[in-house]
């Protein structure tokens, strides 16, 4: 490097150091004014107060598992076929589980409603149409809209039908059978379905529409988390019969976690509306099925 270039470089270094030394210090960060701090605190207090008011008036009524005197899961089947009773059930301040039929006219809207309020999460199942003993039931009324899984179909066809149903209920965390007294009694058919549930991390609730169901055995053999229905709430739709079944389920829940299945109706809505607050006061907690599974030590759903 020429001598003049070295001298110029040294001069620039000296000048830069001098300017850096002479530059004024940056101003100190402004301190928050006392008034600003007071405004922030008032806003925080108002937010906390609103949250508490909402929880007191609209939030779910829950009991920590170890503080409860009984543990109950309530599954409402046939979601997506009507809205009036569904809305009233959704408004209840208890974490019910909702099982959506894939062909329901309102299946999409019901799922949006169920996922719409993160403060009140609701568990969603696929209510999988499965062949009953009476084939005429598959073509009567709203069942004509459903694609039923049938005995005699190949394993590939059964899995394809299951995947198609899950595409219409993508929010599902588990599956239970809709009808299905013939299909669930067929071990080969149930064995064909379980790998798909296992691959997707879903659990299986056996609705137990027949005493001959192979659902629990097939799920257990495939490593799929599973449990079975204990009480049908509205097999007899009379109000007094529904209340009697609910009280029986509550008594059973004091001995072991109990799973109840019901369907949207005026009688079911009224029974749950009047009885669930009383059960809550008596220490009977309402829980999602996944918590029942976890507490039984059976929750193998992979994160």
């Amino acid at each position: 490097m020429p001598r003049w270039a070295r001298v110029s470089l040294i001069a620039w270094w000296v000048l830069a150091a001098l300017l850096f030394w002479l530059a004024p210090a940056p101003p100190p960060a402004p301190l928050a004014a006392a008034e600003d701090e007071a405004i922030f605190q008032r806003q925080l207090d108002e937010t906390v107060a609103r949250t508490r008011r909402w929880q007191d008036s609209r939030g779910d009524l829950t009991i920590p598992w170890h503080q409860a005197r009984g543990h109950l899961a309530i599954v409402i089947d046939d979601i997506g076929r009507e809205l009036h009773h569904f809305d009233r059930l959704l408004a209840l301040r208890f974490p019910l589980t909702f099982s959506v039929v894939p062909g329901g006219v309102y299946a999409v809207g019901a799922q949006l409603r169920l996922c719409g309020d993160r403060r009140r999460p609701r568990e969603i199942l696929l209510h999988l149409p499965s062949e009953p003993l009476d084939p005429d039931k598959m073509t009567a009324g709203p069942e004509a809209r459903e694609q039923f899984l049938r005995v005699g179909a190949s394993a590939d066809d059964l899995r394809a039908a299951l995947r198609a149903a899950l595409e219409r209920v993508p929010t599902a965390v588990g599956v239970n059978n809709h009808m299905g007294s013939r299909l669930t009694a067929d071990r080969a058919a149930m064995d064909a379905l379980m790998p798909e549930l296992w691959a997707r991390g879903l659990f299986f609730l056996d609705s137990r529409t027949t005493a001959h169901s192979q659902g629990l055995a097939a799920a257990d053999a495939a490593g799929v988390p599973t449990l079975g229905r204990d009480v049908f709430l509205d097999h007899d739709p009379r109000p007094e019969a529904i209340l009697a079944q609910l009280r029986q389920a509550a008594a059973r829940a004091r001995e072991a976690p109990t799973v109840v299945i019901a369907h949207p109706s005026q009688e079911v809505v009224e029974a749950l509306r009047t009885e669930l607050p009383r059960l809550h006061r008596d220490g009977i907690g309402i829980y999602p099925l996944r918590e029942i599974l976890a507490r039984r030590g059976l929750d193998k759903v992979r994160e």
Side-chain angles (χ1 to χ4, degrees), residues 79 81 99-105 107-108 111 126-129 145-147 161 164-169 178:
I79 296 300
R81 291 183 171 175
S99 193
V100 180
V101 284
V105 175
V108 173
Q111 290 175 79
L126 165 66
H127 200 31
L128 184 64
R145 296 178 53 89
E146 305 294 345
Q147 180 183 359
L166 286 167
E167 286 176 2
R168 303 184 76 172
V169 190
H178 171 54

Side-chain angles (χ1 to χ4, degrees), residues 19 30 59 94 128 133 163 178 198 210 247 252 264-265 267:
L19 291 173
F94 297 90
L128 184 64
L133 293 177
R163 287 193 291 269
H178 171 54
W198 184 89
T210 172
R247 289 166 182 168
R252 182 169 181 158
S265 71
E267 293 77 17

Side-chain angles (χ1 to χ4, degrees), residues 4 10 13 25-26 62 85 122 131 149 180 183 190 215 237 244 261 267 269 277 279:
W4 64 268
I10 292 170
W13 285 348
T62 59
H85 300 313
R122 293 294 180 259
E131 184 176 357
L149 278 66
L183 185 85
M190 300 310 293
I261 289 180
E267 293 77 17
V269 169
L279 295 181

Side-chain angles (χ1 to χ4, degrees), residues 219-283:
D220 189 61
V224 173
T226 185
L227 70 175
R229 183 269 311 163
D230 297 305
V231 177
F232 267 129
L233 200 60
D234 53 344
H235 182 71
D236 181 340
R238 294 175 301 156
E240 61 271 22
I242 292 172
L243 282 174
Q245 287 292 92
L246 183 55
R247 289 166 182 168
Q248 175 190 338
R252 182 169 181 158
R254 293 178 182 275
E255 304 298 326
T258 298
V259 178
V260 168
I261 289 180
H263 303 81
S265 71
Q266 179 69 23
E267 293 77 17
V268 167
V269 169
E270 288 303 314
L272 296 181
R273 185 183 66 81
T274 58
E275 286 296 300
L276 290 187
R278 184 185 67 79
L279 295 181
H280 178 77
R281 291 191 296 271
D282 288 346

Side-chain angles (χ1 to χ4, degrees), residues 54-72:
W54 181 89
Q55 181 61 42
D56 290 342
S57 63
R58 299 183 58 194
D60 281 343
L61 301 174
T62 59
I63 304 174
W65 185 274
H66 294 296
Q67 295 178 20
R69 297 175 183 172
H71 307 90
L72 195 62

Side-chain angles (χ1 to χ4, degrees), residues 196-213:
E196 187 70 26
L197 300 187
W198 184 89
R200 293 172 179 256
L202 303 176
F203 64 81
F204 178 69
L205 168 65
D206 192 337
S207 299
R208 286 177 170 162
T209 56
T210 172
H212 306 292
S213 176

